[in-house]
Amino acid sequence: MSRVRVLDYGMGNLRSVQRALTCVGAEVEVSEEVGGERLLLPGVGAFAEAARRLGPRMEALRAYEGQLLGICLGMQLLFERSHEHGLTEGLGLLPGEVVPLPRQGVTVPNMGWHQLDGLGGPFVYFAHSFGVKDSESATARIDHGGSWVAAVQSGRITGFQFHPEKSGKAGLMLLHRWLNP
């Protein structure tokens, strides 16, 4: 059984992430400390507030050597910086910036289902107003007023802009793949 630590820094939907991981066979520990073989960085809310709350954990996250998965805001935090509510530095584990979704021609926030271009093309659930336009680590994209990064993979680091825990069987399949590469 895979063990996963879900990082509790006050900005995530911990219960639904915990349930989804348990459903795919993981033993889940929710903790305020960085560590374990696999670490999940959830996130719901604004980038600047998340970075502030992570505060002293930022260096531990940068130094973490296990398998790391960022979900939604958690994925955005993996990048160098965000333009949400001013310029805020992220973890810098992946090159790139988080920028606002376009305000013309599409609904913002982007809340709903999109089919991924990549990762087998499943339909997954999104809820975000900011995203990453370009990343050499992109493994999936969506079209929402332009092409946006939906998932990234770089060595031990994985990120999903969408919510696999809210994406039914498709989301569970993607979490299972992360646990069992």
Side-chain angles (χ1 to χ4, degrees), residues 21 51 75 105 110-111 125 129 140 144:
L21 288 167
M75 182 189 105
N110 174 23
M111 293 185 71
Y125 185 78
S129 299
H144 190 76

Side-chain angles (χ1 to χ4, degrees), residues 82-166:
S82 173
H83 293 268
E84 184 176 9
H85 303 300
L87 192 61
T88 304
E89 295 301 311
L91 291 166
L93 298 173
L94 298 172
E97 295 187 332
V98 179
V99 297
L101 297 178
R103 300 285 178 191
Q104 296 178 348
V106 293
T107 303
V108 176
N110 174 23
M111 293 185 71
W113 296 84
H114 289 275
Q115 184 173 18
L116 296 180
D117 179 8
L119 299 178
F123 282 87
V124 292
Y125 185 78
F126 287 80
H128 64 120
S129 299
F130 287 77
V132 177
K133 287 291 289 176
D134 297 304
S135 174
E136 57 190 42
S137 301
T139 56
R141 302 184 77 78
I142 60 165
D143 182 20
H144 190 76
S147 181
W148 294 89
V149 173
V152 293
Q153 176 71 49
S154 179
R156 63 181 180 74
I157 299 168
T158 304
F160 298 148
Q161 178 62 69
F162 54 91
H163 287 275
E165 77 282 7
K166 302 282 188 187

